[in-house]
Amino acid sequence: MMGTTIAIGALGPALAIGMIGAKGVEAIGRNPEAQSNITTNMILAIAFAEAVAIYALVVSLIIKFT
Amino acid sequence: MPHISIKAETLFHAGLLSVTNSFITNILVALLLIVVAVMYYGGQKTVTGILDLALRGLYGLFAMVFGDSINKYFPVVATFFIYILIANWFGLLPGVGSIGFRHEESIVPFLRGGTADLSTTLGLSVLAIGLVQFYGIRELGFRAYMSKFINLRGPMDFVLGLLEIISELSRALSLAFRLFGNIIAGEVLLVIVAFLIPYFVSLPFLVFEIFVGLIQAVVFTMLVSIFISVATTKHSA
């Protein structure tokens, strides 16, 4: 049960982080001067996408340890 | 397998209040910040220099969100940022979460990271969302702000207003769970890695957790400041 929760819950965020990274690198390639700005926003967006996986992780930890 | 506790353990009872280990850590963090603040206003050279530099960077970060009204809201969001940052990092100190007493085959630590407890993060997020409502009412007036939630111009508007109320509640929940989840996931990760390979391998993970602590403090305060700036601007509708 715990394994299934985190396995399914990590799918979406994994895709999202991949897309954010791809688009971020693409943007830096087009406009290298804006690199620091793009990197900051990219890390913020990654943190939001990652939060979804973290919710799944919290649920699976609750299933496992309580 | 090492024992992992999702909720903070109660150390002792003081009247009706059950004192948990993360409560004690929160008190310590608050005391530390008070001491630093007293040193800052006392004109201690090193403290003033470092803090001025850090606060200038922070000011620039929030100025991107708030624009001209930054001076009104900077103190409160910076307080949130500094408190969450120090609480996140305090949980990574050696001894926090590892020194404790034995209780029924598991170790109950004396100290536990302040934000590794859902009560702390939920308290912070409820306070933050409450402040968003307060600022919204103060800037737009009670009637204008409440018309976002209770709108009787038509059935569709009424349903949309109800959705606004639910979204405000879910914002508080998601803020709390995001911070709590990231910090507790970091602690579990560190425990598991140290359990698998006892020496040296957990060092890069520790550095990563320092980074995560900073990022989560930025994310929390950024979201709160975006909510504030959305709630305090007039929308034409």
Side-chain angles (χ1 to χ4, degrees):
Chain A
M1 192 67 203
M2 175 205 179
T4 322
T5 310
I6 186 65
I8 298 173
L11 276 180
L15 274 174
I17 290 174
M19 280 167 153
I20 293 164
K23 284 285 172 188
V25 171
E26 204 181 297
I28 292 172
R30 272 193 203 155
N31 192 357
E33 302 94 72
Q35 185 182 7
S36 63
N37 225 334
I38 291 167
T39 313
T40 319
N41 285 318
M42 195 172 84
I43 287 175
L44 259 181
I46 286 178
F48 291 133
E50 191 195 48
V52 179
I54 295 285
Y55 297 153
L57 183 67
V58 169
V59 170
S60 64
L61 284 176
I62 288 172
I63 292 171
K64 170 100 175 144
F65 289 108
T66 51
Chain B
M1 274 296 283
H3 176 75
I4 291 158
S5 168
I6 297 291
K7 63 179 198 299
E9 294 98 338
T10 307
L11 292 179
F12 57 87
H13 293 271
L16 284 174
L17 181 77
S18 58
V19 177
T20 61
N21 39 16
S22 61
F23 177 72
I24 291 179
T25 317
N26 277 327
I27 299 278
L28 282 179
V29 170
L31 283 178
L32 180 77
L33 289 175
I34 289 170
V35 168
V36 171
V38 167
M39 279 160 87
Y40 180 81
Y41 285 106
Q44 226 269 345
K45 277 270 162 54
T46 356
V47 176
T48 344
I50 294 172
L51 272 184
D52 277 345
L53 202 66
L55 286 177
R56 191 166 301 157
L58 210 57
Y59 191 86
L61 189 70
F62 289 121
M64 285 196 311
V65 180
F66 284 119
D68 290 336
S69 56
I70 168 89
N71 286 336
K72 232 187 268 178
Y73 304 111
F74 181 68
V76 66
V77 287
T79 309
F80 270 117
F81 176 84
I82 293 169
Y83 184 77
I84 292 170
L85 181 71
I86 300 300
N88 286 348
W89 284 354
F90 201 88
L92 296 173
L93 285 180
V96 178
S98 51
I99 300 175
F101 59 89
R102 196 166 271 282
H103 178 68
E104 289 168 5
E105 293 184 7
S106 61
I107 291 173
V108 177
F110 291 123
L111 296 174
R112 176 192 172 94
T115 41
D117 176 15
L118 190 55
S119 313
T120 310
T121 58
L122 203 57
L124 282 171
S125 70
V126 166
L127 180 66
I129 296 299
L131 273 175
V132 171
Q133 317 304 322
F134 172 74
Y135 286 136
I137 291 170
R138 197 180 69 178
E139 292 298 313
L140 302 181
F142 187 77
R143 286 186 71 92
Y145 187 70
M146 280 303 154
S147 72
K148 193 169 91 175
F149 299 116
I150 301 163
N151 198 333
L152 296 173
R153 265 178 301 183
M156 197 60 206
D157 288 339
F158 184 72
V159 174
L160 283 179
L162 290 182
L163 281 181
E164 276 299 324
I165 296 175
I166 294 170
S167 94
E168 213 70 24
L169 290 176
S170 72
R171 275 173 184 176
L173 267 185
S174 80
L175 274 179
F177 272 104
R178 179 179 297 118
L179 183 56
F180 166 72
N182 272 287
I183 301 305
I184 196 86
E187 295 212 338
V188 171
L189 180 71
L190 285 176
V191 166
I192 299 279
V193 168
F195 174 73
L196 292 176
I197 307 161
Y199 296 108
F200 304 117
V201 181
S202 38
L203 269 179
F205 290 99
L206 206 54
V207 177
F208 179 65
E209 286 314 317
I210 293 175
F211 179 66
V212 167
L214 174 67
I215 289 290
Q216 288 309 314
V218 171
V219 164
F220 190 100
T221 40
M222 270 312 216
L223 275 175
V224 170
S225 43
I226 289 168
F227 293 158
I228 290 176
S229 70
V230 167
T232 51
T233 44
K234 288 190 180 70
H235 49 281
S236 52

